[in-house]
Amino acid sequence: MSVERTLSIIKPDATRRNLTGKINAKFEEAGLRIIAQKRIHLTKAQAGEFYKVHAERPFYDELCEFMASAPVVVQVLEGEGAVAKNREVMGATNPADADAGTIRAEFAESVGENSVHGSDAPETAAAEIAYFFAGTELVG
């Protein structure tokens, strides 16, 4: 397996509850390194552009509203098989289906307010990272 980078977003439901440190500890305990991080407050337009792949889905507007409702923490994680490892640490989208010990099992409030976002493939990760970070901000 090779060293990869993936995007992680700690969503508004988690930042409101001051869970950033606890969530980051889970990533680090799993062997992922945070090589870039910033706290931002997305506008609805920025959230809409980021999630445009979901524009035709019924939850799109609600997702954009939610992601613009409070600050988020965007970060780049690096490690062996980082995309898959991040998704494993996050757990299933529906917290009721998430394995014990995963971020969503412990912290998600619902399917929609599920505390974290993670890239689903290396190609997606590259595009998502570029949306939020300049290359000079990635410090490995």
Side-chain angles (χ1 to χ4, degrees), residues 14-53:
T15 62
R16 272 191 207 103
R17 292 177 289 144
N18 204 28
L19 296 173
T20 301
K22 289 178 181 179
I23 290 170
N24 283 341
K26 288 194 170 286
F27 293 135
E28 291 175 335
E29 288 165 8
L32 295 167
R33 223 163 63 128
I34 301 165
I35 64 163
Q37 181 182 67
K38 55 188 165 186
R39 184 180 180 95
I40 61 174
H41 197 144
L42 294 170
T43 65
K44 189 173 179 191
Q46 289 169 321
E49 178 63 23
F50 181 76
Y51 284 108
K52 68 183 174 187
V53 66

Side-chain angles (χ1 to χ4, degrees), residues 73-97:
V73 175
V74 293
Q75 55 195 8
V76 179
L77 307 176
E78 182 178 78
E80 292 286 326
V83 173
K85 177 61 71 177
N86 180 33
R87 296 186 73 73
E88 177 184 316
V89 173
M90 288 190 311
T93 302
N94 183 341
D97 298 333

Side-chain angles (χ1 to χ4, degrees), residues 1 10 25 54 79 94 117:
M1 203 171 275
I10 301 175
H54 298 303
N94 183 341
H117 163 92

Side-chain angles (χ1 to χ4, degrees), residues 112-123:
E113 295 187 10
N114 60 19
S115 299
V116 285
H117 163 92
S119 304
D120 62 3
E123 301 76 24

